[in-house]
Amino acid sequence: MSGLSAGCMIHMDWQSTAEGETILQNFYNPHSSGRKLFGLLEKPTIPINIEEVSYKLFFVGKSGIGKSLTIARFAGINSPPSYLETAGIQKTNILWPVKIWEKIILFKLQCWDVGENSLKKYSHILPSCKNRADGIVFVFSFMDRSSFNDLIPNINKMTKDDPSHPAITIIGSRYNPAMNMEVTLAETRELELKYRIPVLKMNVVSPGERHEVSKVAPLLNIMCEQLWMRDQEYLLKQGLSS
């Protein structure tokens, strides 16, 4: 569960610069105010010199804590107003440009989401989701103590004897410091320091709230950086062993 400090390689505020905003314009739907959801063979019109990398992410967590909502917000799409458990495997492609050092890179995040009942009912689903996963995103809710207590056991279970060493990220959904949260910031900070895994906070959406990109950009940037660092560590090990 080793990791490096978040934000050490990536330009965290790049999306708000003139260069970043110009690139992001190509990700919006011209017929609406939101971002466009791209299909398997689609991608935004961007300069041909921008490198593209693809990663598979498996989202893990108990039912009803906001896995699907988190993915929907990352993708910039509207989520259902009421809770409905994911049936089978739901895959969502998220295209996100970042600037690492002085290079712009387009990340294609293939987000795999599965309902808890489907996991229990069909034995083939978990191996399919874990197979060749570049990263595992563990989701808990700040309003659900049990989901936080399950984190480390779930991480140990999902990553034990995994030769691919997927990048590990933790996301806390329903973060609202104005409310009496069941999970405290001190607890999440202690977890970060002990296991060196970033704990990202997904704020509660306020009615009529705009500028959603500015809310999710820091989280997406850190997730992309974690995946990028995993690749660099792999390449370094390959170079040392050759």
Side-chain angles (χ1 to χ4, degrees):
M1 299 182 199
S2 62
L4 300 177
S5 58
C8 62
M9 297 169 57
I10 203 168
H11 292 251
M12 291 295 292
D13 61 345
W14 175 76
Q15 284 82 12
S16 62
T17 66
E19 180 184 46
E21 289 182 349
T22 300
I23 296 294
L24 276 175
Q25 286 179 359
N26 299 296
F27 291 73
Y28 281 85
N29 188 331
H31 305 295
S32 70
S33 59
R35 280 181 285 152
K36 181 180 179 181
L37 184 61
F38 295 93
L40 291 174
L41 302 179
E42 295 179 294
K43 68 178 183 179
T45 303
I46 56 176
I48 59 175
N49 63 326
I50 292 182
E51 179 183 350
E52 181 179 332
V53 293
S54 180
Y55 294 99
K56 175 183 176 180
L57 299 178
F58 177 31
F59 282 67
V60 176
K62 63 182 292 188
S63 292
I65 59 169
K67 297 190 299 296
S68 299
L69 176 61
T70 296
I71 295 174
R73 289 186 63 184
F74 282 154
I77 58 179
N78 293 325
S79 57
S82 58
Y83 170 69
L84 183 64
E85 182 171 342
T86 302
I89 300 174
Q90 179 71 41
K91 291 187 285 186
T92 304
N93 288 330
I94 299 173
L95 298 180
W96 185 249
V98 302
K99 191 167 188 178
I100 297 180
W101 292 310
E102 298 304 317
K103 187 176 184 179
I104 301 174
I105 300 173
L106 178 62
F107 279 73
K108 181 179 181 180
L109 306 178
Q110 303 171 23
C111 299
W112 289 50
D113 179 25
V114 60
E116 190 173 7
N117 285 330
S118 295
L119 274 177
K120 294 177 180 178
K121 187 175 181 180
Y122 303 106
S123 60
H124 69 278
I125 286 186
L126 181 58
S128 297
C129 292
K130 288 182 60 179
N131 183 41
R132 297 184 179 180
D134 300 290
I136 302 180
V137 182
F138 294 88
V139 183
F140 75 97
S141 170
F142 275 95
M143 299 301 178
D144 187 328
R145 157 65 57 182
S146 64
S147 66
F148 181 77
N149 293 339
D150 290 342
L151 280 176
I152 298 305
N154 279 341
I155 292 174
N156 291 333
K157 176 183 177 181
M158 290 292 176
T159 60
K160 183 180 179 181
D161 302 324
D162 190 337
S164 63
H165 303 293
I168 303 300
T169 304
I170 298 174
I171 296 178
S173 66
R174 297 170 185 159
Y175 173 70
N176 188 350
M179 297 184 65
N180 185 21
M181 299 185 297
E182 293 187 12
V183 181
T184 67
L185 289 179
E187 290 175 306
T188 60
R189 182 57 179 164
E190 181 181 356
L191 188 150
E192 285 183 315
L193 293 174
K194 184 175 181 179
Y195 295 99
R196 300 188 68 196
I197 304 174
V199 178
L200 311 182
K201 305 173 187 65
M202 179 68 79
N203 295 62
V204 175
V205 179
S206 302
E209 185 176 17
R210 298 184 178 181
H211 308 299
E212 177 70 356
V213 165
S214 65
K215 301 292 185 181
V216 301
L219 283 70
L220 282 170
N221 286 341
I222 292 176
M223 290 172 61
C224 291
E225 184 181 53
Q226 292 293 111
L227 293 164
W228 184 259
M229 289 192 297
R230 169 185 176 266
D231 278 1
Q232 304 314 301
E233 291 175 356
Y234 173 78
L235 292 174
L236 178 60
K237 290 177 181 179
Q238 289 294 103
L240 292 175
S241 62
S242 61

